[in-house]
Amino acid sequence: MKILFNSKFLLHNSLCEGEGAYRIEKFKGKYEESDAIGEQYISLVHAHEYKNSILNACNNEDTIAEVELNKDSWEAAISAIGLSIEASKDGDFAVVRPPGHHAKRDKAAGFCFFNNIAIATQKLVNEGKRVFIFDFDGHHGDGTQSIFYESDQVLFCSIHQLWAYPYTGFAEETGSGKGKGYNLNLPLISGANDMAFYDKLNLAIKAGREFNPDIVAVSAGFDAYEDDKILSLKYSQKAFYECGLRLRRAFPNIFGVLEGGYHDDLMECVEAFVEGINIGARPRKNLFDTDMSVG
Ligand SMILES: [Zn+2]
């Protein structure tokens, strides 16, 4: 798993202290620039009128979903989709802004305009693949849940803080119609630490294995981190490493897309997750190997 990044993402909502450019500034210069435009894929999930309303809002520098858009926001948004699609092809990790998992088909919300992971997922579904979307952002991925709520080709699973924005994500929300049983919410209470996360992570992996997906799409947000300025979960960086490691031990095909994370250690958290994935991909050592650092 490689990290895909583009410094265009720094031009969107650049001065904000919430979902601002400061979040991903450290990636610039450290990671190669990856370019991909995803405008042609928006219609896989969002209606034409909705797409135009976001384009106009960028041109008019309107404030929506708590974000002041600017003329560079459009380019950032369509590049975020493009890089998410690229990540899905080779099992990479797309470091993008704006994030996507609160965006519904026809509604921007919670700093999100187009649902990057949902668009990449729908493209895979159209190619005949079954997709397990695993969302460990500390907020419930309500937009993604709503998009696939009636689908049996996508298993959506979210681990998040209960009673936090967007105030959804209860265990009772299990899908509807054909999608009944294909939506799994595993909420945690405020203050939950690594051990509490691992319990839910194991349940998510078990459900994912039973679903038997062709590919795992990870909505990777890092606002459950102990120093996050918005949420009050208490994961350490090690938890993100462990998450990557356990996912890779369970699934061969995984890609990731950045969601939230509002603190100064976002790059380190992303790197811990990617490192876990890459270490987990190495073959297990055999029983007689005394080096227990791997395996
Ligand atoms: Zn979040």
Side-chain angles (χ1 to χ4, degrees):
M1 179 176 273
K2 295 191 306 295
I3 288 177
L4 308 182
F5 172 74
N6 194 296
S7 49
K8 271 181 206 172
F9 300 131
L10 295 167
L11 302 174
H12 164 66
N13 203 29
S14 57
L15 300 176
C16 171
E17 288 178 6
E19 203 289 283
Y22 75 93
R23 300 178 54 224
I24 57 169
E25 221 145 47
K26 284 195 234 172
F27 288 91
K28 189 180 179 178
K30 183 168 181 185
Y31 290 94
E32 263 177 53
E33 300 275 318
S34 304
D35 219 351
I37 300 296
E39 187 173 355
Q40 68 271 37
Y41 301 113
I42 293 174
S43 62
L44 289 171
V45 164
H46 303 282
H48 190 65
E49 300 74 46
Y50 175 74
K51 173 191 156 182
N52 282 344
S53 74
I54 299 297
L55 176 58
N56 290 335
C58 292
N59 287 332
N60 297 334
E61 308 198 337
D62 291 341
T63 295
I64 45 175
E66 300 155 70
V67 175
E68 198 180 318
L69 294 167
N70 63 42
K71 294 190 171 58
D72 294 312
S73 296
W74 178 255
E75 189 72 12
I78 60 177
S79 300
I81 297 166
L83 235 55
S84 301
I85 300 271
E86 283 306 301
S88 74
K89 291 178 184 166
D90 293 325
D92 290 327
F93 190 102
V95 172
V96 301
R97 289 182 62 244
H101 75 153
H102 295 305
K104 298 185 175 160
R105 287 191 190 277
D106 55 2
K107 193 171 188 304
F111 316 140
C112 302
F113 306 94
F114 298 121
N115 196 315
N116 304 313
I117 200 96
I119 293 169
T121 295
Q122 189 61 53
K123 183 168 178 292
L124 292 164
V125 168
N126 291 359
E127 291 163 5
K129 302 206 170 72
R130 284 160 66 81
V131 185
F132 171 33
I133 302 180
F134 175 54
D135 184 330
F136 69 80
D137 185 280
H139 297 96
H140 177 232
D142 58 333
T144 315
Q145 170 175 300
S146 74
I147 290 164
F148 297 111
Y149 208 59
E150 296 185 1
S151 172
D152 60 358
Q153 295 305 298
V154 175
L155 171 66
F156 174 74
C157 175
S158 177
I159 301 175
H160 49 267
Q161 183 178 324
L162 199 58
W163 305 119
Y165 179 87
Y167 308 100
T168 51
F170 298 97
E172 295 77 21
E173 299 159 21
T174 57
S176 71
K178 264 198 323 186
K180 190 82 188 161
Y182 293 89
N183 195 83
L184 176 63
N185 285 314
L186 300 168
L188 287 168
I189 53 166
S190 162
N193 62 10
D194 290 3
M195 299 315 285
F197 173 57
Y198 297 156
D199 284 347
K200 302 294 186 193
L201 176 62
N202 289 345
L203 291 173
I205 289 173
K206 184 167 178 284
R209 298 265 299 179
E210 283 165 8
F211 177 67
N212 193 24
D214 296 299
I215 187 160
V216 181
V218 184
S219 242
F222 298 86
D223 41 19
Y225 182 53
E226 55 200 350
D227 289 345
D228 192 79
K229 289 180 273 189
I230 292 183
L231 283 175
S232 42
L233 293 170
K234 297 288 170 204
Y235 305 176
S236 70
Q237 284 181 28
K238 168 103 192 308
F240 300 121
Y241 170 84
E242 194 66 33
C243 177
L245 189 78
R246 292 186 191 193
L247 281 174
R248 176 56 97 204
R249 289 277 156 83
F251 304 102
N253 300 319
I254 305 172
F255 73 99
V257 174
L258 181 65
E259 301 288 357
Y262 309 96
H263 49 79
D264 296 327
D265 298 334
L266 183 58
M267 187 181 75
E268 289 77 2
C269 290
V270 168
E271 287 175 343
F273 175 74
V274 171
E275 174 76 357
I277 292 267
N278 289 335
I279 293 274
R282 291 179 200 163
R284 283 171 192 263
K285 297 213 167 185
N286 69 42
L287 276 177
F288 304 101
D289 199 316
T290 52
D291 178 8
M292 298 302 286
S293 63
V294 179

